[in-house]
Amino acid sequence: AFVLVRLYQLPSENEDLVRQITYATNSQDPVDLKDLKANDTIQRQLEMDIQELGFTYRRKRTDSPLKPTDISSGTAAQAILAVWRKKPHQSKYFIREHFGKLYDQIFKNDINGAQTIIAALIYRIPEAKRRKLTDQDPQFLRYASAFIAMQMGKYLLRDMGCPVHSLNHQNFSRAKQLLDDKGSEYLERSIESIDAALKMLYGTGDISLQQLAATFRRGDLIEILDRIEE
């Protein structure tokens, strides 16, 4: 039996080139891509930043159960894309691209540990709500968690009185305290704003589950939500 092997001779100090070749020659499975990106400079920097704030960033896969203070790189990607990049539809339904085509959009050089933690904590709130829906809850909640997280991020920054790029280690404690104190309020306000946006889009009649699912896979609701907030 024969095995085809491709060899590259590279200078040992050129780690970036090594990573680029590794990325280009491996499969496009999303888990593989996440592993390949784990040693990127931005991933290592986030790990250090987040540790300084009392949390743990899991940039590599682990079989250990995650603790409340753990944030996986996959969760971080979803949260950042929804909350700060304002692409909730891509956060929820383009997961395969988070460490591929969307990677540079999510993990820009300006992202820091404080922003990542707050985004992840925000994202947990509507996700927890989605997992415990009752018959009295609006049907759209099963699809809308990323959109809710985006809205919650807006309300938090408004109360902080700063744009997202000003959220850092210095004001992290205040941001976290606001989220602890007003997270439920942000959640309810976000649900109300999305309900209003859906009524603007479809009127006051019933919306089928199929329509709802399709709506939250698209981005046109984002513009309506922005108009409501003006």
Side-chain angles (χ1 to χ4, degrees), residues 104-135:
D104 290 335
Q105 179 182 337
I106 298 169
F107 294 104
K108 296 178 182 178
N109 289 333
D110 62 352
I111 193 71
N112 61 40
Q115 294 163 12
T116 301
I117 295 170
I118 294 299
L121 294 179
I122 288 174
Y123 200 83
R124 287 177 182 177
I125 296 173
E127 276 292 288
K129 176 71 173 177
R130 180 184 62 82
R131 289 192 290 267
K132 296 181 180 179
L133 293 178
T134 68
D135 293 339

Side-chain angles (χ1 to χ4, degrees), residues 129 138 140-141 148 187-195:
K129 176 71 173 177
F140 67 78
L141 290 187
I148 293 170
L187 174 67
E188 293 306 317
R189 287 171 60 189
S190 299
I191 292 172
E192 290 172 4
S193 67
I194 291 171
D195 186 46

Side-chain angles (χ1 to χ4, degrees), residues 79-99:
I80 293 167
L81 192 55
V83 179
W84 304 138
R85 307 308 182 212
K86 298 183 179 180
K87 302 287 186 181
H89 55 305
Q90 294 181 349
S91 166
K92 194 72 174 178
Y93 298 106
F94 288 64
I95 291 176
R96 292 183 63 87
E97 304 295 343
H98 289 178
F99 288 82

